[in-house]
Amino acid sequence: MNIIGIYRFYADGFKSMTTGRVLWLIILLKLFVMFFIIKLFFFTSFLKDKTTEEKQDYVGNELIIRASDSYAK
């Protein structure tokens, strides 16, 4: 089976769905909420106003601290 055959197989399957379309819409809506809305409000980028050197120092220090914390346990 080639790529075109696989595409036609899935395209025909999605065209004939009735309940499945609603379920896929719900899944896509939930993914949008999880990855866009939640990131927008809860995971703000606090490094965006820092220089490249400040970002490198912060990330390097965090990696060292987290590595040492995992060995301490």
Side-chain angles (χ1 to χ4, degrees):
M1 206 177 219
N2 56 13
I3 299 293
I4 295 171
I6 294 171
Y7 171 77
R8 287 182 183 156
F9 174 76
Y10 282 104
D12 291 340
F14 281 113
K15 284 178 188 174
S16 64
M17 276 198 275
T18 56
T19 307
R21 287 184 184 183
V22 176
L23 295 176
W24 275 108
L25 182 65
I26 292 170
I27 290 169
L28 293 175
L29 183 65
K30 286 175 72 172
L31 286 173
F32 174 76
V33 168
M34 286 190 321
F35 290 112
F36 183 74
I37 304 293
I38 291 176
K39 184 193 179 309
L40 185 67
F41 290 112
F42 293 107
F43 300 108
T44 58
S45 177
F46 59 92
L47 293 176
K48 66 180 172 186
D49 56 344
K50 300 198 181 301
T51 64
T52 305
E53 292 82 19
E54 291 173 334
K55 290 178 185 179
Q56 291 172 348
D57 290 338
Y58 176 79
V59 172
N61 289 334
E62 283 296 315
L63 289 173
I64 292 169
I65 291 169
R66 291 179 186 197
S68 65
D69 286 346
S70 67
Y71 287 121
K73 291 181 182 179

